[in-house]
Amino acid sequence: MSKETRFCPFRRVLTRQRTRITENRVEENFKDRFGGCCGERCMAYRDGRCLRLEKKEEQDG
């Protein structure tokens, strides 16, 4: 297995941060990012390939 980090679109992480700017105003920031691939521990991962991504490509094509 290579040392580079792979990201999985099915393990998306959404974080929300609220900051009070003034007494009556609150600002919300959202951060959306992909989670890390868990590799062999994922039930959609076989023989070094993500079966979820392959299935999605077949449906799009």
Side-chain angles (χ1 to χ4, degrees):
M1 190 170 194
S2 67
K3 297 289 183 183
E4 75 179 39
T5 303
R6 293 179 301 191
F7 296 102
C8 178
F10 302 101
R11 295 190 64 207
R12 201 173 84 191
V13 178
L14 179 67
T15 57
R16 181 188 333 193
Q17 179 181 8
R18 293 183 182 182
T19 308
R20 184 169 297 280
I21 296 174
T22 62
E23 185 177 316
N24 297 328
R25 188 166 167 227
V26 175
E27 181 179 281
E28 268 189 321
N29 293 321
F30 293 94
K31 183 186 271 187
D32 191 11
R33 64 184 180 92
F34 292 139
C37 176
C38 57
E40 294 296 329
R41 292 178 291 162
C42 181
M43 54 195 257
Y45 193 84
R46 187 179 313 144
D47 298 328
R49 298 186 327 256
C50 180
L51 301 177
R52 287 176 160 178
L53 290 176
E54 288 180 0
K55 185 175 181 180
K56 184 173 176 117
E57 288 174 1
E58 288 175 6
Q59 290 174 354
D60 291 342

